[in-house]
Amino acid sequence: LGIGFVPEGRRVFSDMTVQENLNIGGYAVRDKNFKKRQMEFIFDLFPILCERRKQLSGTLSGGEQQMLAMGRALMTNPSLLLLDEPSMVLAPIVINDIFLALKKVNEQGMAVLLVEQSAWLALKASKRAYVLETGNVVITDTVEALSNNPEIKKSYLGL
């Protein structure tokens, strides 16, 4: 349906290699050349995955598993990428790599819907934001407007 999903907690197939996980993500793709190009794109996006392509996914670090979960979701080149808490329990340098990759796929025309507890990270990576309270949207606006809103700064950004 053109949607890629990166679940909270990564959920890679730990007893399969990196390459096998990516192949699972592209299971529905019948064009072998397209699949090969997508895998190359993912390995360009996350070079560490190329280095570890034959390694069991369960032996990867948390950040590498997050990259793999994103790569798996990108194997079909979806028009919409959904991510649930991609920065959860990751080192700052890995978080930076993840968000740079998100920016890159978004700049190439892929829509990205991000659920993120870190308001600062979410705002840095977004053009538009929705603030939820107990499951209800209470505020929506451009990132620039929300970042300059005194109520948002005080309540959600700790300023």
Side-chain angles (χ1 to χ4, degrees):
L1 298 172
I3 300 173
F5 177 59
V6 181
E8 179 182 347
R10 300 172 283 280
R11 298 190 192 146
V12 299
F13 298 103
S14 59
D15 58 342
M16 298 172 76
T17 67
V18 167
Q19 188 151 356
E20 289 168 335
N21 267 268
L22 293 175
N23 283 330
I24 290 290
Y27 178 77
V29 177
R30 299 289 169 226
D31 183 339
K32 290 182 188 211
N33 289 326
F34 175 82
K35 224 190 263 196
K36 183 180 176 188
R37 285 191 310 272
Q38 275 307 103
M39 196 160 304
E40 288 170 3
F41 169 73
I42 291 160
F43 288 152
D44 284 344
L45 201 58
F46 302 116
I48 192 71
L49 294 182
C50 185
E51 291 175 28
R52 304 193 193 279
R53 68 189 325 149
K54 305 262 187 235
Q55 187 172 326
L56 289 179
S57 301
T59 65
L60 299 174
S61 72
E64 291 164 348
Q65 287 183 14
Q66 185 65 37
M67 291 174 192
L68 178 56
M70 284 180 62
R72 189 178 57 205
L74 292 170
M75 278 300 290
T76 59
N77 193 27
S79 22
L80 172 63
L81 183 63
L82 303 173
L83 297 105
D84 189 6
E85 299 288 347
S87 73
M88 188 170 73
V89 206
L90 296 180
I93 192 160
V94 176
I95 292 170
N96 188 54
D97 291 345
I98 298 289
F99 277 80
L100 284 174
L102 285 176
K103 184 176 181 177
K104 193 178 284 186
V105 297
N106 182 249
E107 286 171 349
Q108 292 180 354
M110 187 179 299
V112 176
L113 178 61
L114 169 71
V115 175
E116 177 61 57
Q117 287 286 330
S118 170
W120 281 113
L121 278 175
L123 288 175
K124 277 179 55 178
S126 305
K127 296 175 185 166
R128 183 160 196 81
Y130 298 80
V131 177
L132 301 175
E133 282 183 7
T134 61
N136 296 308
V137 177
V138 293
I139 301 171
T140 179
D141 211 331
T142 64
V143 167
E144 184 179 347
L146 286 177
S147 297
N148 293 319
N149 179 321
E151 180 184 327
I152 296 295
K153 282 181 173 182
K154 181 179 174 209
S155 300
Y156 299 97
L157 302 176
L159 300 176

